[in-house]
Amino acid sequence: MNLGLSTTLRTGFDDAVARTRTALSEQGFGVLTEIDVRATLKAKLDENIEDYLILGACNPSLAHEAVGIDRQIGLLLPCNVVVRRNPDSDAEILVEAMNPQLMVQVTDEPALQSVATRAGAKLQAAIDSLSTMSSSL
C-alpha cells in the first residue's frame, strides 16, 4: 500500500497551492489547518529547506461518519495534503495526499473501509484534476 497519492506539477509554488485548495474544495474538502514547514524550521531552528506546506484537509460528512465508527479516529484526521518543492528540481512541485486506507490498517476497524475508500476516491480525484487545471500564472 502506498503511503500517499501524488502528482508532480510544473508551475510556481503559490500557483500549486492555489490549485490544490481549489481541487480539494471541488471534492468537498475544506482546509482546517495550514503548516508552513519551511517558515517554521527557519524561525525555530534557523534551518533552510525548500517550500513545504502541509494542508489539513477535511471532508465534514466523511469525518462525521468516521468519528461515528471510531471516536479515536480523530487522531488520524484531518487528511494531510503536502505541497512541496522537489528538492532535486526547482521546476517541480509535488502534491501528496495521505492515503486514507492507512486509517483502516492502523485501526484494524473494517467498518472504516467504506469511508476510507470514498475519501481516497475524492482525494485521488482532487490530485488528478491538478494536472488539468489551468495555471493562474
Side-chain angles (χ1 to χ4, degrees), residues 61-78:
S61 62
L62 292 174
H64 178 257
E65 188 175 343
V67 169
I69 293 167
D70 183 344
R71 288 289 200 247
Q72 283 190 310
I73 202 67
L75 295 167
L76 301 175
L77 298 177

Side-chain angles (χ1 to χ4, degrees), residues 1-6 23-24 27-29 57-59 61-63 65-66 77-81 96-104 112-129:
M1 171 180 300
N2 290 331
L3 180 62
L5 315 169
S6 65
L24 289 168
Q27 292 299 319
F29 290 88
C58 178
N59 180 299
S61 62
L62 292 174
E65 188 175 343
L77 298 177
C79 296
N80 285 334
V81 178
E96 303 163 312
M98 182 193 79
N99 184 343
Q101 291 299 326
L102 293 172
M103 291 188 309
V104 180
L112 287 171
Q113 182 63 58
S114 173
V115 178
T117 298
R118 286 180 281 135
K122 289 180 176 294
L123 286 168
Q124 187 65 63
I127 294 287
D128 290 347
S129 75

Side-chain angles (χ1 to χ4, degrees), residues 17-66:
V17 171
R19 288 163 65 178
T20 300
R21 287 178 180 280
T22 298
L24 289 168
S25 177
E26 289 173 352
Q27 292 299 319
F29 290 88
V31 175
L32 303 177
T33 60
E34 180 177 312
I35 302 168
D36 185 336
V37 176
R38 178 182 184 192
T40 300
L41 294 179
K42 182 63 178 172
K44 301 293 184 183
L45 303 174
D46 198 30
E47 294 289 339
N48 293 308
I49 68 165
E50 66 279 359
D51 293 316
Y52 195 114
L53 187 69
I54 301 171
L55 302 174
C58 178
N59 180 299
S61 62
L62 292 174
H64 178 257
E65 188 175 343

